[in-house]
Amino acid sequence: MTLVEKNTSLGWLLYQYLRLRLRWRFHNVVIRGLPYLQNLPHDRPVIAFSNHINWWDGLMVFLLTRCARHKNFYCIMSDEQIAQYPYLKRLGAFSIDLENPLRAAGVVRFAVRLLQKRSTLLWLFPQGEMSSPHQPLQLRTGANYLATQANGAQMLPVAFRYEFFHGNKPHALIEIGQPFSAHESSDEKIAISCLEVSQRLNDAVVTQNLEGFEEIIRPSSSPVESFRNLLVGVSRLFPKRKLRAIAAKPESPATHSSDGSVAVEEEHATMR
């Protein structure tokens, strides 16, 4: 069992890297239902659950957490995914071994403790493994069990899809459904909610109609352009006069702390 090892500073750097990588690999990333995520309650924990069709899903989850900064993000993933991408532990991911009931029970108890905190946003993939979006959804029962253990939690259905419309890069599409109370939760309710958001994405893909979607990662014509944009962002976060001050006073921890806070505030202001 691998438990979470969150590192906020590393998370900011990985987020910048993720944005670059998404711009290189996808035409764009679009989302519908973003206000549902942005307006999650401050006073209760949230369990977000989604389909699992690609290894990109975990990185998309981390991208979405930047839209709900008032929540403390965690995500349950498989041992194989954590072993392949160990840096995800620094972002709030922890693993579960579904083949080992004793170890899995320990992870579930840990998740229940997290859900006792009002700030927690816990992401789950109820399928337990990746499967094609063209196959029927087969969900395990863990999501509803956690809902029964989380006092007053809110449930948030999410779906992911990656499809080629035109050009040589796929679009990444995200659908966020209407939240509902954990008091209303059941295995059937979770399955229906997951199916509904997945079906809405499927309809958008079939018709290639992205009405109602908004772009959270814009297309990039080349890796060079993406790198140039990153340099521009860094220059805005650290103006020349501040860089000169840092160079003049390298021993001052206060100077570094001040710049760090400014960087975070600027980065919080926009995702683009």
Side-chain angles (χ1 to χ4, degrees):
M1 178 177 66
T2 306
L3 294 180
V4 65
E5 301 172 5
K6 294 191 74 169
N7 184 312
T8 303
S9 299
L10 181 61
W12 184 87
L13 293 174
L14 288 174
Y15 170 66
Q16 302 306 319
Y17 166 74
L18 174 60
R19 290 184 66 224
L20 279 177
R21 191 169 184 184
L22 291 175
R23 295 191 72 191
W24 295 344
R25 298 299 298 272
F26 291 93
H27 174 75
N28 63 359
V29 179
V30 296
I31 185 171
R32 184 165 56 187
L34 182 58
Y36 289 135
L37 180 63
Q38 294 173 324
N39 298 321
L40 290 175
H42 291 257
D43 60 350
R44 68 183 72 177
V46 176
I47 300 174
F49 56 95
S50 74
N51 62 340
H52 195 14
I53 61 172
N54 195 289
W55 73 269
W56 280 103
D57 297 343
L59 297 182
M60 290 296 174
V61 162
F62 176 59
L63 176 69
L64 291 180
T65 64
R66 314 301 288 188
C67 302
R69 301 178 188 278
H70 60 292
K71 306 301 289 185
N72 197 7
F73 157 73
Y74 297 93
C75 181
I76 301 180
M77 307 181 75
S78 69
D79 273 344
E80 291 76 12
Q81 288 174 308
I82 292 292
Q84 189 172 3
Y85 308 105
Y87 61 84
L88 292 177
K89 292 187 293 182
R90 303 292 183 177
L91 305 179
F94 56 100
S95 66
I96 186 168
D97 182 1
L98 296 175
E99 303 303 320
N100 188 321
L102 186 61
R103 294 176 62 195
V107 173
V108 170
R109 287 193 295 271
F110 176 67
V112 169
R113 289 199 300 272
L114 290 176
L115 289 169
Q116 305 311 304
K117 302 175 183 178
R118 296 178 178 179
S119 62
T120 293
L121 168 57
L122 178 64
W123 287 79
L124 309 173
F125 298 106
Q127 289 172 276
E129 58 185 3
M130 286 188 292
S131 64
S132 167
H134 307 293
Q135 295 178 346
L137 282 171
Q138 306 236 343
L139 308 184
R140 299 175 185 259
T141 59
N144 185 55
Y145 173 78
L146 289 175
T148 64
Q149 302 300 307
N151 186 20
Q154 193 169 69
M155 309 294 288
L156 182 71
V158 182
F160 301 106
R161 192 74 179 262
Y162 313 96
E163 294 289 342
F164 287 91
F165 288 171
H166 52 75
N168 59 356
K169 292 182 179 181
H171 294 254
L173 296 88
I174 305 170
E175 179 86 26
I176 299 180
Q178 185 170 0
F180 59 92
S181 170
H183 296 303
E184 307 171 35
S185 181
S186 66
D187 291 331
E188 182 180 9
K189 173 75 171 177
I190 290 173
I192 291 174
S193 298
C194 205
L195 180 61
E196 287 177 346
V197 289
S198 297
Q199 186 59 51
R200 287 200 292 270
L201 272 191
N202 185 69
D203 293 343
V205 168
V206 170
T207 61
Q208 295 193 11
N209 181 0
L210 299 184
E211 182 179 355
F213 286 84
E214 53 187 300
E215 202 170 56
I216 57 174
I217 295 292
R218 296 172 178 171
S220 173
S221 59
S222 69
V224 173
E225 179 188 344
S226 294
F227 185 68
R228 185 184 300 117
N229 290 336
L230 177 61
L231 292 180
V232 170
V234 170
S235 68
R236 289 173 179 171
L237 295 177
F238 299 100
K240 290 182 180 180
R241 63 180 180 274
K242 291 185 178 179
L243 292 177
R244 285 197 297 266
I246 293 173
K249 300 180 180 180
E251 73 286 356
S252 172
T255 301
H256 289 272
S257 175
S258 175
D259 287 341
S261 62
V262 170
V264 170
E265 290 170 3
E266 289 285 341
E267 191 268 332
H268 282 188
T270 178
M271 288 188 59
R272 302 177 179 177

